């Protein structure tokens, strides 16, 4: 799943460590999310969206192959 998390985080002037602390996750989790190596749980996706006052779909881009 692609996402805009890194762009959004940087626009708010936050470091990965700062966002991780706010969300009560590890910095490695934030890094993995930003690099597309980890898909967040629904709970974490909601937490991120609420923190940035955005819709989940504005942060996480779901691409499904309908073939």
């Amino acid at each position: 799943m692609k996402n805009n998390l890194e762009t959004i985080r940087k626009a708010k002037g936050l470091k990965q460590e700062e966002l991780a602390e706010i969300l009560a996750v590890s910095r490695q989790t934030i890094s993995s999310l930003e690099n597309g190596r980890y898909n967040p749980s629904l709970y974490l996706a909601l937490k991120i969206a609420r923190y940035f006052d955005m819709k989940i779909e504005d942060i996480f881009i779901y691409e499904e192959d309908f073939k």
Side-chain angles (χ1 to χ4, degrees):
M1 178 181 320
K2 294 182 181 181
N3 67 73
N4 298 313
L5 184 57
E6 182 176 11
T7 303
I8 294 164
R9 174 183 58 76
K10 286 182 176 181
K12 296 285 184 181
L14 292 170
K15 296 179 181 177
Q16 285 183 340
E17 294 85 359
E18 294 169 324
L19 182 58
E21 186 175 323
I22 290 164
L23 299 172
V25 297
S26 69
R27 186 206 57 79
Q28 290 83 359
T29 296
I30 301 299
S31 177
S32 293
L33 284 168
E34 290 181 352
N35 291 307
R37 293 189 309 263
Y38 172 69
N39 291 330
S41 65
L42 181 56
Y43 175 75
L44 181 55
L46 282 167
K47 216 170 160 181
I48 292 167
R50 286 187 179 163
Y51 175 75
F52 288 113
D53 194 27
M54 300 176 82
K55 296 179 188 174
I56 290 176
E57 307 88 71
D58 293 335
I59 302 170
F60 299 98
I61 300 107
Y62 177 68
E63 297 176 331
E64 184 173 337
D65 186 1
F66 288 104
K67 294 180 184 178

